[in-house]
């Protein structure tokens, strides 16, 4: 394959990453090649398990419709999540009241916020609760811990449901650190679980700042329940810079995108 062919395939994969799908006709127009050439590229990329061909184009391969368990999520993109957690923790100030969402990315805030004093943490995440209790007993965390109560999911180690939503309505937080399952420019931020999504939206409505923590694997994915539009987010902390195609929208709506650096 010529270099120009490799460049074209890289462009197809980049577009797929951002939009979740590509159409043959659109690629013909964008790349100025024949439909036969596009089909050949898609066939080659499918053989490499980089995409899945469908009628009229291609989609991301093996997009699960079911959320992984907490244990399975914990090991995915671990280094990227640590960098995101370190950078996001720098946004916390002494005496802040914050919400830490369920998620293996938001959990990475905890080791990097222990220098903050008198922080109040609300959470629905059982692992976050356990870690904060351990840090408090070690004398490393001096803030208050509030566990939002409700129906417990053993598989996902979190609380959700109507009782949790009612309790969330009683609070206002300075900053909410949110976890998501999908992010697209047109579709906003989405999640697998409607109960979790409704609770996240209630927290957003009661937050001075809404901060989404996500690695690049969530880009171009859309799931069952929409939490909010991108314009309703104040800050995104990710392991990569914002996609160039999203730049104008983010600037128009004052969404601050922070790329987490490798500070090790």
């Amino acid at each position: 394959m010529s270099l120009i062919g490799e460049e074209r395939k890289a462009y197809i994969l980049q577009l797929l990453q951002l939009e979740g799908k590509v159409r043959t006709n659109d690629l013909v127009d964008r790349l100025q090649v024949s439909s036969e050439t596009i089909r050949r590229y898609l066939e080659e990329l499918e053989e490499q398990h980089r995409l899945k061909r469908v009628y009229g184009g291609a989609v991301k391969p093996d997009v699960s419709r079911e959320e992984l368990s907490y244990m399975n999520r914990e090991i995915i993109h671990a280094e990227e999540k640590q960098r995101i957690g370190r950078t996001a923790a720098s946004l916390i100030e002494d005496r802040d009241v914050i919400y830490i969402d369920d998620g293996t990315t938001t959990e990475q805030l905890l080791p990097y916020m222990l220098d903050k004093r008198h922080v109040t943490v609300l959470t629905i995440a059982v692992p976050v609760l356990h870690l904060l209790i351990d840090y408090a007993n070690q004398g490393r965390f001096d803030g208050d811990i509030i566990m939002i109560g409700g129906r417990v999911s053993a598989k996902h180690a979190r609380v959700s449901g109507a009782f949790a939503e009612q309790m969330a309505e009683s609070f206002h937080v300075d900053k909410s650190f949110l976890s998501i399952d999908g992010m697209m420019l047109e579709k906003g931020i989405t999640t697998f679980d409607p109960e979790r999504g409704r609770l996240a939206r209630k927290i957003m409505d009661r937050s001075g700042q809404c901060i989404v923590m996500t690695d690049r694997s969530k880009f171009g994915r859309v799931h069952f329940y929409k939490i909010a539009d991108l314009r309703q987010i104040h800050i995104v902390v990710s392991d990569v810079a914002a996609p160039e195609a999203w730049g104008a929208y983010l600037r128009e709506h004052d969404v601050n995108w922070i790329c987490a650096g490798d500070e090790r």
Side-chain angles (χ1 to χ4, degrees):
M1 174 65 66
S2 65
L3 179 60
I4 191 66
E6 293 296 339
E7 291 172 344
R8 288 168 178 161
K9 288 198 292 184
Y11 176 84
I12 292 170
L13 291 173
Q14 181 184 43
L15 193 64
L16 189 64
Q17 178 72 12
L18 294 179
E19 300 184 2
K21 60 183 176 182
V22 291
R23 294 183 176 88
T24 300
N25 291 340
D26 290 342
L27 293 174
V28 168
D29 292 338
R30 292 182 188 224
L31 296 176
Q32 294 296 296
V33 295
S34 68
S35 59
E36 289 76 14
T37 298
I38 294 299
R39 290 190 187 97
R40 186 173 73 251
Y41 291 154
L42 297 182
E43 287 173 358
E44 292 170 355
L45 290 169
E46 185 176 47
E47 289 175 358
Q48 299 168 14
H49 307 290
R50 309 293 295 279
L51 53 74
K52 177 179 177 57
R53 286 189 301 149
V54 296
Y55 180 78
V59 297
K60 285 186 173 184
D62 301 323
V63 177
S64 175
R65 294 185 178 273
E66 182 178 356
E67 184 177 3
L68 294 175
S69 69
Y70 172 81
M71 294 297 292
N72 287 329
R73 285 183 284 137
E74 192 174 24
I75 62 175
I76 299 174
H77 304 293
E79 291 186 8
E80 291 90 339
K81 292 174 181 178
Q82 289 173 6
R83 295 201 303 272
I84 293 167
R86 182 188 296 116
T87 298
S90 69
L91 303 173
I92 301 172
E93 300 176 286
D94 291 350
R95 301 188 180 279
D96 267 349
V97 178
I98 67 173
Y99 170 78
I100 300 180
D101 202 1
D102 155 68
T104 54
T105 304
T106 46
E107 183 183 327
Q108 292 301 319
L109 278 168
L110 299 179
Y112 304 108
M113 57 174 276
L114 297 179
D115 60 329
K116 314 297 180 181
R117 314 316 308 168
H118 310 300
V119 174
T120 298
V121 178
L122 284 73
T123 190
I124 61 169
V126 176
V128 169
L129 174 66
H130 287 167
L131 282 170
L132 286 174
I133 290 172
D134 286 344
Y135 288 141
N137 287 333
Q138 296 166 19
R140 301 174 67 191
F141 177 75
D142 67 353
D144 290 328
I145 307 166
I146 299 174
M147 183 71 180
I148 295 176
R151 185 174 60 82
V152 177
S153 167
K155 179 179 180 180
H156 302 301
R158 65 172 178 244
V159 175
S160 62
F163 291 135
E165 292 173 32
Q166 291 172 13
M167 186 173 177
E169 291 175 351
S170 301
F171 299 101
H172 175 83
V173 300
D174 298 303
K175 301 177 178 81
S176 56
F177 294 88
L178 302 173
S179 176
I180 62 170
D181 297 315
M183 174 184 284
M184 289 182 68
L185 191 62
E186 301 85 359
K187 305 294 185 180
I189 55 174
T190 57
T191 184
F192 291 97
D193 183 357
E195 286 191 346
R196 179 177 174 276
R198 286 194 300 270
L199 183 55
R201 183 52 195 260
K202 286 185 179 292
I203 293 291
M204 288 183 68
D205 291 342
R206 291 157 179 78
S207 300
Q209 281 189 319
C210 301
I211 302 161
V212 166
M213 300 171 60
T214 180
D215 63 76
R216 75 188 79 182
S217 69
K218 309 298 174 58
F219 302 172
R221 297 196 184 277
V222 60
H223 294 291
F224 180 66
Y225 188 85
K226 180 178 178 179
I227 301 171
D229 292 318
L230 287 185
R231 60 183 172 81
Q232 295 170 283
I233 300 166
H234 297 104
I235 300 172
V236 177
V237 183
S238 185
D239 59 316
V240 294
E244 185 176 346
W246 297 6
Y249 179 95
L250 297 174
R251 289 190 295 271
E252 178 184 355
H253 296 287
D254 295 321
V255 181
N256 182 18
W257 190 292
I258 301 175
C259 178
D262 188 348
E263 303 165 15
R264 289 174 300 175

